[in-house]
Amino acid sequence: MGSGRLYLAVAAGGFRRYATYRAATAAGVFTNTVFGVILVYTYLALWDEKPHLGGYDQTQAVTYVWLGQCLYATLAIQGGGAEKDLMQRIRTGEIAVDLYRPADLQLWWLAGDVGRALFQMLGRGVIPFAFGALFFPMALPTDVTRWAAFTVTLLLATLVSFAIRYLAALSVFWLMDGMGVNQALMITGIFFSGMVLPLNAFPGVLGEIVRVLPWAAQLQMPADVLMGETDPLRAYAFQAAWAVVLLAAGRLVQSAATRRVVVQGG
């Protein structure tokens, strides 16, 4: 089997694996929809007091909310993607099996996470977004080129999201337990990605800092491209730069970790 077909098969396996959790998917759809409604009315109250907060009008703020609910599980913004399994395999020593495979470790886990992300988008993200578009006014583009540009930002956001979580997972080679790392991923993901509030609305120096961190590539950039608030080429450059830096860092850390890895019990 060629390497391309191998990683395609891994991605398909990731898709099928999450497709089996139908009850969890239905619960996720319900939860994201309810949270979306709550956040929409919270945002509307906030935008009534602060019109054009962060450069968005109320319709754009509502669009941002439903896009966030759509991408929440897709990009594993709070964690819970491939990194969770990788941490477990490092902790138990099963990572030794992965290292013996005739495949690149990073690409293997990336392919599986892409399959997971695709299912979460189709199975859990689309319905809350469609619900929002049906019952609330949203600032959605009518031209195909904007949707195409948005799709590219989603692909780059998926890469950045995986790269962050892969780096975090590799820390378990030294920490031996991923509980604390998972908690840190959850907090940083929710706050710095803009799930609580658009990063454009953050004031002063804090706003300038959070808008250049890699988490801004996950939700803020796709949202701004979808709503025409930024040049797509600028968004691509920002996301691609972080993807390259983080994936390269992950490869360096992976090399350092596996060079002298000691498998517990073996």
Side-chain angles (χ1 to χ4, degrees):
M1 180 184 290
S3 58
R5 291 178 59 191
L6 170 65
Y7 296 122
L8 197 59
V10 174
F15 185 98
R16 284 196 300 270
R17 175 189 172 189
Y18 280 84
T20 60
Y21 303 132
R22 296 174 184 172
T25 300
V29 168
F30 176 78
T31 303
N32 285 127
T33 305
V34 171
F35 266 99
V37 171
I38 294 171
L39 280 174
V40 161
Y41 283 107
T42 304
Y43 273 35
L44 289 176
L46 179 60
W47 258 256
D48 274 338
E49 295 295 323
K50 296 284 187 181
H52 302 289
L53 179 64
Y56 290 166
D57 58 27
Q58 282 193 339
T59 305
Q60 289 175 312
V62 169
T63 307
Y64 186 91
V65 168
W66 290 113
L67 184 62
Q69 295 307 308
C70 175
L71 299 183
Y72 174 74
T74 302
L75 300 178
I77 287 176
Q78 194 177 338
E83 84 287 353
K84 189 175 179 181
D85 294 332
L86 178 55
M87 288 177 183
Q88 179 71 4
R89 293 182 72 81
I90 294 172
R91 191 183 68 80
T92 61
E94 293 174 299
I95 191 66
V97 177
D98 300 342
L99 292 172
Y100 270 109
R101 288 197 185 103
D104 182 87
L105 186 69
Q106 190 181 43
L107 286 177
W108 176 280
W109 285 97
L110 172 59
D113 200 58
V114 168
R116 176 205 60 78
L118 181 58
F119 173 78
Q120 295 288 29
M121 166 69 84
L122 298 176
R124 182 168 167 177
V126 169
I127 294 176
F129 191 80
F131 176 90
L134 187 63
F135 291 101
F136 297 91
M138 289 172 63
L140 298 178
T142 55
D143 59 302
V144 177
T145 55
R146 184 82 65 78
W147 283 104
F150 170 67
T151 302
V152 175
T153 63
L154 283 188
L155 294 174
L156 291 169
T158 302
L159 279 180
V160 174
S161 170
F162 167 78
I164 292 172
R165 290 179 287 110
Y166 188 74
L167 258 177
L170 291 177
S171 67
V172 178
F173 273 112
W174 289 273
L175 299 175
M176 309 306 293
D177 186 272
M179 185 175 295
V181 178
N182 279 325
Q183 293 293 321
L185 273 178
M186 180 182 68
I187 295 170
T188 54
I190 291 292
F191 184 78
F192 290 118
S193 69
M195 281 298 296
V196 177
L197 199 64
L199 300 181
N200 294 342
F202 279 50
V205 176
L206 176 62
E208 293 175 7
I209 292 174
V210 296
R211 286 191 288 274
V212 297
L213 295 177
W215 290 275
Q218 296 183 76
L219 176 56
Q220 190 65 56
M221 283 297 167
D224 282 345
V225 168
L226 183 68
M227 295 186 288
E229 289 295 314
T230 191
D231 178 11
L233 293 180
R234 175 182 171 276
Y236 298 162
F238 179 82
Q239 292 177 299
W242 271 119
V244 169
V245 168
L246 292 170
L247 289 172
R251 192 159 286 275
L252 285 174
V253 174
Q254 171 188 311
S255 176
T258 57
R259 194 177 303 128
R260 301 182 63 179
V261 63
V262 176
V263 178
Q264 296 184 73

